[in-house]
Amino acid sequence: MVKWRLRFLAISLLLAPTTGSMAQELSEADFFAELPEVLTASRLSQPLMDAPNSVTVLDRKLIEATGYRNLSDLFRLVPGMYVGQEKGWFHNVSLHLADSFARRMQVLIDGRSVYLPSFGGVRWDALPLAIEDIERIEVVRGSNAASFGANSFTGVINIITRHPEDVAGRMLHLSGGDHAHQEGWFRWAGQGGAASHRITLGRREDGGLINQFDDERSDILNYRGDYALGGGESLSIQLGYLQGERGSGDSITLSDLPHDQHVKSYSLQVDYRRMLSGDREWMLKASLDHLLTREVSPAAFPPVLPAGSYSLLDLLSRRWHVESQLNSEHAAGLRSSVGAYLRRDQVQSDYYFNVADTLSADSWGVFGHLEWRIAPEWLANMGAFLEGYDTVGTRLSPRLTLHWQPSSRHAWRLGMSRAYRNPALLETYITTIKDFLGPNGVSLGLPPTQPYFVAAGPVDPEVLLSQELGYLGKWPEHGLDLDVRIFNEKISDLIDASCTSPATRTCSGIFPINPRRFDNIGGAGQKGIEGQLKWQPSALTGVIVNYAAMDIDSGINDKRYSPSQQYGLHVMHEFSGGLDMTLSHYWLPAFNPIGQGDLHGYKRLDARLAKRFRLDGSNGQIALVWQNLTDDYIEFSDDKLPNGTPYNLFDSRFQVNFQLEF
Amino acid sequence: MFRRLLFLCLIWLALRPAWAEGVIHLILSDSGVAYQEASEAFRADIGARATVKVWTLAELGAEQAQNLSRVAKILVPVGVKAARFVAEHHIGQAPVLALMIPRAASEKLQWPTSLGRRKISAIYIDQPPSRSLGLAAAAFPAARRVGLVISPENAAVAKDLLKEATLRNLRLTVETINSADDVAAALRRVLQDSDVLLLVPDAIAINAGNAQNVLLTTYRFRTPVIGFSQGLSKAGAVASVYSSPKQIGQQGAQFVHRMEEDGELPMPQHAGEFSVVFNPHVARSLGVALPNETEVRRKLGARLE
């Protein structure tokens, strides 16, 4: 959370594996032993009450209780968050201002941004990560550019993976179900000397949505090694690799018939940490993320495009990142976090950019954050991020929040901030021109058509000014927790692909006459309330109620970029005999994501019934998972087949998950 | 004649050995601060009613100890080492009151069979189950599942805790380990299924050598810890209940009074006085709303100061 976001990792890294100390006899000395202050202020994560934003935490237990096998489905548990599927494997996760690529949220895995420089947003299906390796997910609801930089526009998702020591041993996970869903995962984690390691291997296959050519197959490898270097130093190395195929194209678009998209993604992350004197912690991190998608897209439109014609739609997206951060406690109640980063984003695609060269955009940033406890009941968070980005220049994202905490049970927060979203490289440089090749691999030499998309020239970053009032309340004797956020957001310079024909503002056809162009199309005002009530009447039962309502004042064709209301209800109960049950119900009305037509609203009921068991000292469980037990509904896109059948129908589906930790 | 008698009396007083009858011998395991605190509190409470001679273990030979066990009014070893030393060399009939000793260690002491049971007592340094689980319930009212990792030496403690947990409608998950190498795995198993982790003093499961690992692991699991010492709460346990050397020393003096009145020592028991300490920083970070300290002390049955 905020700039103390990395502390969970800090803790895990510093875990010195020295459990093999010799046993001694118990004595009174154990009661008076001088212990080092282990959980020092600079190591502690910022409490939710002190955080400058509303944060929803999805912990391991909740993640497991859903039975969801798609990472993106987990975000249905966050108030105000929209999760859609444009294809079986293409997920849209947005917090306000939904669009096809969900570009307005920053997504981090152990502090490493997985935001795509090309399209923006995240290819959830291409993350080399197993759900079993996630410890918890923290979702910051609201702008947080002052802490995480541009693109932390409407929210931040921070995924924290499990420390190898916490999963020591072996794990086998097998899933199978409707729509040819099959998964198999194996994990080994263990310890050797001052290091601990975790290796996970897996394969995932899925048939996708009913009427789409969108099946998926992925092979995944993930490694995390944590090394205690002694003297308060530690190192963590993470590697991820994924390769696979995704069904793409469709039988209607004759220039893009069904085919496989070959995906190859890898990531490397190195984190070094050092505890300094005076309760300070210094961190240095470096990472590389690489995603290459290769597509041979068949076309058939005789006589112009003879059978066997095709075009190449390859796209490379790469990000290098180096960052340093210093967390300090200056005096009781005064903590700071300062740092800087350097980043290089690279993309290459003949098709999307109409050039053979690799396009680069460099950026830099410096940030500072101060948490000041003015009085026992009053706290202030001040922060700002100054960033320079090749394509749009230098911008400052500041934030100020004031917290009133009359007791440890109630906390009020008043905050204001400004955030930017820098246009993704695709929004800046796109010029899609298809070069159709004949069956013999030679260009058909068709006269250049109008590109489907063109770059409009310089596009300004989107700007979001936010004012918010937050409340957190706890009634531990009743097992109740309440989190409410009231916000007023003013967004300007929204970027959308609009039609270059002002008369019709529509673009259609296989070879559109009027290409779409990314441009700053206007703004919108959003006022609303969102919240979560957690009720734990007993240790065996948990209830979560999410609700969000928003009033949008948009000058752009009266579009509603976010659902006007949204609700979710989750009930979890542990019966005796190791039997667990979860029911989740979601509802949202129709709305219009940016760049999309009308989306249908839906109701959806998911359920999971699991039986935990012990087998020769190993922990196992079998879970039956149902998704959408109610009527079929239309996901994300409203496109239809020629016979009028909706393209993106999400039907009821069932699967069985088996897991054994041994 | 009278002057000669007075002179003889003075000579007798001057030469009267320290271990003579009527003297309370306080034997400290070590000269550390905790032992000094206990000793001072004990002596202050005894006041002028009896002579208290304070030894550290290093000053006392085996033969002296044997002599003391014959002539002392009462032997008061402070700490495990002193108690064991006294037990090993006890050949007389002097009553023994062991102070500041873990219950498990106290129960392992071998006393001569000739020494009557009511001549041996102890004030434990550890806390009764009702107090540690009472603190868990008071500080975390929503918690129902309490985790515990122990080695076999604490089997009796675990049994008492299980009884107390049942009374309080808490589910206590106990993992028993035989080796320090098993701590991490046992902790992982317990934390997966616990709302709060209870630490009890255990030479294998939790000690100065592994406290850091244990606390960091619990923090990663976001599970609050109930500790048993001030040091643990300073290090990262959200709440601890403990009896200070001063409190134990004072109670030791009260035991001696009771012996003087009743002719025998009260049964071995936990210290009646205790303190509760919180780590508000860790509590805040874990999102724990701490209860009022006075309220918690009242719930645990503390006498109001």
Side-chain angles (χ1 to χ4, degrees):
Chain A
M1 276 165 269
V2 292
K3 286 320 285 188
W4 283 271
R5 64 189 194 265
L6 303 170
R7 286 214 179 116
F8 296 105
L9 187 62
I11 295 298
S12 54
L13 285 165
L14 285 160
L15 189 95
T18 53
T19 44
S21 70
M22 72 294 156
Q24 42 189 278
E25 197 194 22
L26 177 67
S27 83
E28 68 283 0
D30 292 296
F31 292 79
F32 308 122
E34 275 296 319
L35 297 174
E37 196 180 340
V38 180
L39 304 179
T40 56
S42 73
R43 277 181 184 176
L44 289 176
S45 63
Q46 197 177 31
L48 292 184
M49 279 192 170
D50 296 352
N53 289 84
S54 296
V55 180
T56 303
V57 176
L58 311 177
D59 62 16
R60 180 77 224 140
K61 195 179 165 191
L62 186 59
I63 292 170
E64 204 170 283
T66 62
Y68 291 152
R69 301 304 307 158
N70 276 328
L71 181 54
S72 53
D73 275 332
L74 295 172
F75 301 107
R76 296 181 193 276
L77 299 161
V78 179
M81 200 163 255
Y82 170 73
V83 178
Q85 274 176 284
E86 199 170 334
K87 290 176 186 290
W89 51 266
F90 196 88
H91 306 268
N92 311 81
V93 180
S94 329
L95 187 71
H96 310 173
L97 300 171
D99 72 348
S100 308
F101 293 98
R103 299 184 172 105
R104 291 166 181 86
M105 267 196 311
Q106 181 62 272
V107 180
L108 308 154
I109 298 178
D110 290 327
R112 178 185 100 246
S113 165
V114 291
Y115 188 91
L116 277 178
S118 52
F119 285 98
V122 172
R123 271 286 295 257
W124 295 96
D125 65 302
L127 296 177
L129 181 67
I131 285 188
E132 283 68 34
D133 287 341
I134 297 173
E135 180 60 47
R136 56 195 256 126
I137 302 175
E138 297 170 353
V139 181
V140 174
R141 306 186 332 259
S143 296
N144 204 347
S147 292
F148 295 95
N151 306 344
S152 307
F153 197 64
T154 59
V156 180
I157 292 175
N158 192 10
I159 298 168
I160 295 136
T161 68
R162 304 187 81 180
H163 191 283
E165 271 203 9
D166 294 345
V167 290
R170 289 159 291 175
M171 183 218 64
L172 179 70
H173 182 104
L174 299 170
S175 290
D178 292 340
H179 298 276
H181 183 89
Q182 290 184 62
E183 275 181 76
W185 296 89
F186 177 76
R187 176 177 68 208
W188 173 88
Q191 196 178 306
S196 51
H197 312 272
R198 184 192 74 205
I199 297 168
T200 309
L201 285 165
R203 167 169 281 204
R204 185 172 64 213
E205 291 182 12
D206 191 87
L209 301 172
I210 300 180
N211 296 319
Q212 285 242 39
F213 186 78
D214 60 349
D215 44 345
E216 169 192 0
R217 186 188 62 75
S218 294
D219 293 317
I220 296 167
L221 164 74
N222 188 284
Y223 165 81
R224 172 170 163 177
D226 287 90
Y227 307 82
L229 306 177
E233 288 178 279
S234 64
L235 187 72
S236 174
I237 297 174
Q238 297 197 48
L239 290 166
Y241 179 79
L242 177 146
Q243 67 165 33
E245 284 83 45
R246 308 284 182 266
S248 200
D250 60 68
S251 51
I252 311 164
T253 313
L254 301 179
S255 59
D256 187 30
L257 294 167
H259 62 276
D260 276 340
Q261 179 187 83
H262 299 270
V263 181
K264 191 174 278 189
S265 97
Y266 60 79
S267 61
L268 168 66
Q269 178 175 0
V270 181
D271 289 86
Y272 168 82
R273 274 151 207 281
R274 182 171 191 171
M275 292 304 292
L276 306 174
S277 60
D279 200 8
R280 289 175 305 147
E281 185 185 21
W282 180 61
M283 292 169 260
L284 184 66
K285 62 164 54 241
S287 64
L288 165 66
D289 275 83
H290 172 106
L291 173 65
L292 174 66
T293 54
R294 304 189 81 105
E295 289 180 68
V296 178
S297 160
F301 188 58
V304 184
L305 299 172
S309 305
Y310 63 93
S311 59
L312 299 171
L313 311 179
D314 301 354
L315 173 64
L316 167 74
S317 183
R318 193 188 288 142
R319 168 168 284 187
W320 304 85
H321 184 95
V322 185
E323 185 173 332
S324 176
Q325 183 177 335
L326 178 71
N327 289 345
S328 317
E329 182 170 42
H330 303 279
L334 191 66
R335 298 199 295 178
S336 74
S337 184
V338 292
Y341 80 79
L342 287 174
R343 182 187 288 162
R344 169 160 290 179
D345 289 342
Q346 293 180 312
V347 290
Q348 197 284 316
S349 173
D350 291 358
Y351 165 61
Y352 285 106
F353 302 110
N354 197 29
V355 284
D357 298 340
T358 298
L359 301 172
S360 285
D362 292 343
S363 53
W364 57 266
V366 289
F367 57 82
H369 186 95
L370 195 68
E371 183 199 87
W372 177 28
R373 185 157 290 283
I374 306 160
E377 292 181 3
W378 292 92
L379 180 85
N381 274 296
M382 292 155 271
F385 215 127
L386 181 70
E387 283 172 288
Y389 190 52
D390 269 0
T391 58
V392 294
T394 305
R395 297 280 192 292
L396 180 74
S397 308
R399 177 192 50 216
L400 176 67
T401 61
L402 187 64
H403 306 244
W404 179 49
Q405 299 161 343
S407 78
S408 61
R409 292 164 174 240
H410 305 281
W412 297 86
R413 182 189 73 246
L414 199 61
M416 55 192 349
S417 69
R418 182 174 65 205
Y420 292 97
R421 182 180 78 82
N422 290 333
L425 290 176
L426 215 87
E427 291 168 304
T428 310
Y429 294 123
I430 193 164
T431 304
T432 52
I433 294 194
K434 268 190 184 174
D435 182 20
F436 288 100
L437 309 172
N440 54 3
V442 176
S443 173
L444 291 172
L446 295 177
T449 57
Q450 282 276 19
Y452 195 72
F453 281 104
V454 290
V459 184
D460 288 331
E462 295 178 349
V463 188
L464 191 154
L465 295 173
S466 164
Q467 298 166 314
E468 61 173 43
L469 175 68
Y471 170 75
L472 276 181
K474 284 176 200 296
W475 294 269
E477 61 281 11
H478 302 297
L480 283 170
D481 279 275
L482 179 65
D483 161 3
V484 180
R485 172 180 174 241
I486 298 169
F487 55 88
N488 180 10
E489 296 174 338
K490 194 172 175 313
I491 301 126
S492 48
D493 287 331
L494 268 175
I495 304 168
D496 191 5
S498 60
C499 227
T500 45
S501 159
T504 60
R505 291 190 78 85
T506 54
C507 312
S508 59
I510 301 163
F511 301 108
I513 293 159
N514 296 310
R516 289 164 197 253
R517 189 171 70 184
F518 284 103
D519 209 348
N520 298 109
I521 53 162
Q526 306 189 139
K527 287 177 192 168
I529 181 166
E530 67 192 21
Q532 181 173 72
L533 178 71
K534 276 197 211 172
W535 181 41
Q536 194 162 12
S538 79
L540 304 175
T541 309
V543 178
I544 298 176
V545 184
N546 290 334
Y547 179 75
M550 195 195 283
D551 179 48
I552 301 173
D553 175 18
S554 162
I556 312 156
N557 294 353
D558 294 328
K559 280 197 161 195
R560 298 200 58 85
Y561 296 133
S562 310
S564 58
Q565 284 189 74
Q566 220 176 324
Y567 115 101
L569 171 71
H570 314 273
V571 181
M572 292 161 281
H573 185 72
E574 287 178 36
F575 295 95
S576 56
L579 206 60
D580 298 346
M581 184 208 68
T582 311
L583 288 172
S584 310
H585 192 253
Y586 310 97
W587 170 81
L588 65 87
F591 72 110
N592 327 92
I594 300 166
Q596 290 288 318
D598 292 343
L599 288 202
H600 296 255
Y602 65 78
K603 285 178 188 159
R604 169 174 164 154
L605 177 67
D606 295 349
R608 172 179 178 266
L609 195 63
K611 165 83 180 140
R612 282 174 281 124
F613 60 87
R614 297 273 292 173
L615 188 72
D616 278 344
S618 307
N619 286 323
Q621 63 173 26
I622 293 181
L624 311 178
V625 181
W626 293 267
Q627 285 190 308
N628 191 27
L629 280 164
T630 43
D631 299 337
D632 297 357
Y633 69 91
I634 298 168
E635 265 287 0
F636 204 74
S637 164
D638 193 27
D639 291 347
K640 291 185 175 63
L641 292 169
N643 65 6
T645 318
Y647 207 45
N648 254 12
L649 213 54
F650 195 90
D651 58 341
S652 182
R653 47 187 66 194
F654 168 73
Q655 71 193 37
V656 182
N657 300 338
F658 168 83
Q659 188 166 311
L660 191 67
E661 288 173 74
F662 55 109
Chain B
M1 178 67 186
F2 177 74
R3 284 169 73 183
R4 268 182 76 180
L5 211 60
L6 187 68
F7 178 72
L8 278 173
C9 276
L10 285 173
I11 292 278
W12 181 82
L13 277 175
L15 298 176
R16 181 175 177 261
W19 37 264
E21 195 177 354
V23 174
I24 300 170
H25 292 271
L26 201 60
I27 304 161
L28 312 182
S29 296
D30 188 90
S31 57
V33 181
Y35 303 95
Q36 297 299 337
E37 273 176 26
S39 161
E40 276 160 29
F42 181 86
R43 281 190 295 166
D45 244 46
I46 292 289
R49 282 176 298 115
T51 311
V52 179
K53 163 75 180 154
V54 182
W55 307 77
T56 58
L57 204 54
E59 297 165 351
L60 205 61
E63 204 174 319
Q64 265 173 312
Q66 286 175 349
N67 284 338
L68 290 182
S69 77
R70 278 197 291 260
V71 300
K73 178 189 175 83
I74 182 168
L75 292 172
V76 184
V78 182
V80 176
K81 276 187 191 159
R84 192 178 304 122
F85 187 77
V86 168
E88 276 168 12
H89 300 99
H90 203 291
I91 55 170
Q93 280 299 311
V96 182
L97 170 62
L99 298 184
M100 246 166 63
I101 176 170
R103 180 179 160 181
S106 169
E107 285 170 354
K108 272 198 274 185
L109 292 174
Q110 302 277 320
W111 297 99
T113 45
S114 58
L115 195 64
R117 288 298 97 187
R118 300 312 296 266
K119 285 193 163 183
I120 305 161
S121 190
I123 298 173
Y124 306 135
I125 188 167
D126 33 7
Q127 300 298 311
S130 58
R131 219 175 275 159
S132 37
L133 285 177
L135 177 60
F140 310 103
R144 282 289 164 268
R145 303 168 309 163
V146 180
L148 179 68
V149 178
I150 50 156
S151 67
E153 71 173 345
N154 266 315
V157 172
K159 214 169 142 191
D160 290 351
L161 282 166
L162 277 166
K163 266 191 230 159
E164 180 70 25
T166 312
L167 288 176
R168 290 177 176 271
N169 199 20
L170 294 171
R171 198 175 84 199
L172 188 73
T173 309
V174 184
E175 279 278 342
T176 307
I177 48 158
N178 290 306
S179 149
D181 294 332
D182 302 333
V183 174
L187 203 56
R188 209 161 48 234
R189 284 194 296 273
V190 161
L191 289 173
Q192 274 170 10
D193 215 19
S194 301
D195 305 317
V196 54
L197 181 80
L198 178 67
L199 294 181
V200 297
D202 188 297
I204 296 175
I206 175 84
N207 50 53
N210 72 2
Q212 175 161 345
N213 278 0
V214 169
L215 288 171
L216 289 176
T217 305
T218 58
Y219 189 70
R220 272 209 316 272
F221 276 84
R222 314 285 297 169
T223 305
V225 172
I226 298 279
F228 54 81
S229 71
Q230 252 180 314
L232 271 171
S233 266
K234 195 178 151 218
V238 169
S240 287
V241 55
Y242 67 95
S243 296
S244 68
K246 188 181 167 193
Q247 288 164 332
I248 295 173
Q250 282 169 344
Q251 195 173 354
Q254 288 159 21
F255 268 40
V256 174
H257 296 322
R258 293 265 298 277
M259 186 188 77
E260 284 167 340
E261 285 166 15
D262 306 344
E264 54 184 27
L265 281 165
M267 295 292 284
Q269 55 192 265
H270 298 278
E273 295 290 336
F274 60 87
S275 301
V276 173
V277 61
F278 294 113
N279 185 323
H281 303 295
V282 178
R284 284 175 68 83
S285 180
L286 292 176
V288 173
L290 285 177
N292 180 288
E293 199 173 322
T294 320
E295 180 68 9
V296 170
R297 288 181 55 77
R298 193 187 57 75
K299 278 187 183 166
L300 298 189
R303 268 166 275 172
L304 292 175
E305 287 157 0

